[in-house]
Amino acid sequence: MEHFTSLYGVLIDFIGESNLPNSAELMGIYGRMCVNGFNILDPEMMSIGTGIYLGCSVIDHSCDPNAVAVFEGIIIHIRAVKDMPVLDWEKIFISYIDLLNFPQDRQAELQAMYYFLCDCNLCTSIQSPNMILCPNQDCGQGISVKQQDHEQLPQPCPSCGVYIKADTYKKYLEVEEFTRHHLQVMKDIAYLDVCKVCLKKQQGLFHNLDLLHVKVLDLAFESSIEMGQWEKAAEFGQELVPGYQKYYKECHPLLGIHYLKLGKINLYLKKFGEALDMLKSAEQVIRVTHGDRHTLYRDQLMPLLNEAQGELGKT
């Protein structure tokens, strides 16, 4: 309501009150824009505006989507990322929100923004994205930690049967709380030093697919790029790949763009073999998510891929 009131004042200044619909009708228009609007994204999936796309607004949400929305300028493309037996718009789903979040946080965001709750498999699954590292050094598996039941020790490792000790679990919970606090602090801007402290505390406790660990790695990667620390960016980016593959799945625009960024960084560092591997992975994903006629594929990815192949050929 505060936002609507502010916008209403701006519209009066620009258009004049006599040229506006009454406040109830205007609020209805505003509500439909909020619920049906799309964030217009640049090639790196960063929001640069909002648009109404009437045809695409009928597509429902899923946290396990079979399609994605990508943009070429202000033109929207809905592209399948999973095989579909028939083209049935009622069975096509995109994600309205960022998937790199806990189920309860995704539900809260959907409820606040779109007034519904998701009932996809990822939201109803009892599998927790909190994972403590198995203490058996020869195992390395993650043991699921239920967020609602911190009083009870986790089940034994499903792979080797080893139990988590009480003091180890207590330390995990302390670091989990520490990490959550600092992720909230870094909601608007990431601090590389804070990310490093969180990652150091998580070492030996958090499995590499623990969602909090992945979220900190994500911030550390982007912060390293902002600061021009390319070696650290390459290190964090490589560690981040399994987490992106798990939470965004194997064919998502953000995974493809992540591969592309890693390819660029390794090319800059003259690590041509690593660059070529990342750019080939990017090509496989972006060809599906964006298409081979998209400017991201044609003008950014392919020249870099050709450059990496050429440089590797020289060596």
Side-chain angles (χ1 to χ4, degrees):
M1 286 302 299
E2 288 177 3
H3 192 205
F4 172 74
T5 303
S6 173
L7 289 174
Y8 189 53
V10 172
L11 287 171
I12 289 173
D13 288 343
F14 275 86
I15 299 173
E17 192 167 8
S18 62
N19 295 317
L20 288 174
N22 62 59
S23 59
E25 186 179 351
L26 193 62
M27 187 181 293
I29 295 170
Y30 173 69
R32 289 192 291 276
M33 288 177 64
C34 288
V35 172
N36 295 298
F38 280 80
N39 281 325
I40 300 172
L41 307 173
D42 68 9
E44 294 194 353
M45 301 296 283
M46 301 297 291
S47 179
I48 55 172
T50 304
I52 298 291
Y53 298 87
L54 293 179
C56 301
S57 67
V58 305
I59 303 173
D60 288 327
H61 163 86
S62 173
C63 296
D64 187 17
N66 56 9
V68 293
V70 295
F71 290 82
E72 183 90 69
I74 60 170
I75 299 172
I76 192 170
H77 298 267
I78 306 296
R79 296 188 59 86
V81 293
K82 295 180 182 178
D83 289 334
M84 301 179 193
V86 293
L87 181 61
D88 182 350
W89 286 100
E90 292 184 357
K91 295 179 181 177
I92 295 175
F93 301 92
I94 61 175
S95 178
Y96 295 177
I97 57 174
D98 184 11
L99 299 175
L100 197 65
N101 254 325
F102 289 91
Q104 65 270 26
D105 294 332
R106 296 199 305 268
Q107 297 283 28
E109 186 176 354
L110 288 168
Q111 181 66 57
M113 292 294 296
Y114 301 102
Y115 307 100
F116 71 86
L117 297 175
C118 181
D119 61 356
C120 74
N121 291 334
L122 293 180
C123 288
T124 56
S125 171
I126 61 171
Q127 184 73 25
S128 171
N130 290 93
M131 284 182 273
I132 190 169
L133 183 65
C134 176
N136 180 1
Q137 293 183 355
D138 295 328
C139 177
Q141 292 295 311
I143 304 171
S144 182
V145 177
K146 293 182 179 179
Q147 290 183 293
Q148 296 84 0
D149 194 7
H150 282 174
E151 298 299 320
Q152 185 176 349
L153 288 174
Q155 295 294 314
C157 175
S159 181
C160 70
V162 169
Y163 281 85
I164 298 292
K165 293 180 180 179
D167 58 340
T168 302
Y169 184 50
K170 182 181 177 182
K171 189 174 180 182
Y172 171 87
L173 294 178
E174 289 172 353
V175 177
E176 179 195 28
E177 184 179 353
F178 178 88
T179 302
R180 284 182 182 277
H181 168 73
H182 285 287
L183 282 173
Q184 185 62 33
V185 170
M186 295 189 291
K187 194 172 182 179
D188 297 318
I189 183 169
Y191 300 100
L192 184 56
D193 289 344
V194 176
C195 292
K196 287 180 178 178
V197 171
C198 289
L199 292 171
K200 187 173 181 180
K201 285 181 175 289
Q202 293 172 5
Q203 196 168 6
L205 287 171
F206 284 51
H207 189 263
N208 69 331
L209 295 179
D210 181 284
L211 182 53
L212 288 175
H213 177 70
V214 174
K215 288 171 77 71
V216 174
L217 273 178
D218 191 32
L219 292 180
F221 175 64
E222 294 298 338
S223 184
S224 299
I225 292 174
E226 289 288 330
M227 297 178 68
Q229 295 190 18
W230 305 115
E231 290 283 359
K232 294 303 294 182
E235 180 186 328
F236 290 134
Q238 192 63 50
E239 288 183 53
L240 189 55
V241 168
Y244 263 40
Q245 290 172 337
K246 176 177 175 61
Y247 295 107
Y248 287 126
K249 307 303 180 189
E250 294 289 341
C251 198
H252 189 282
L254 287 175
L255 177 61
I257 290 164
H258 184 69
Y259 286 139
L260 177 58
K261 287 179 180 178
L262 269 178
K264 284 183 183 178
I265 291 167
N266 281 304
L267 202 55
Y268 175 77
L269 294 173
K270 301 189 184 305
K271 297 178 179 179
F272 302 123
E274 292 91 334
L276 186 59
D277 289 342
M278 287 297 106
L279 292 169
K280 282 182 176 179
S281 296
E283 193 275 334
Q284 291 176 353
V285 176
I286 292 173
R287 180 160 29 91
V288 175
T289 60
H290 292 70
D292 56 13
R293 289 182 291 179
H294 194 282
T295 53
L296 179 68
Y297 183 96
R298 191 182 65 241
D299 299 339
Q300 292 192 44
L301 172 60
M302 292 312 294
L304 288 170
L305 189 57
N306 292 333
E307 182 182 347
Q309 288 171 330
E311 292 291 346
L312 199 61
K314 293 176 185 177
T315 58

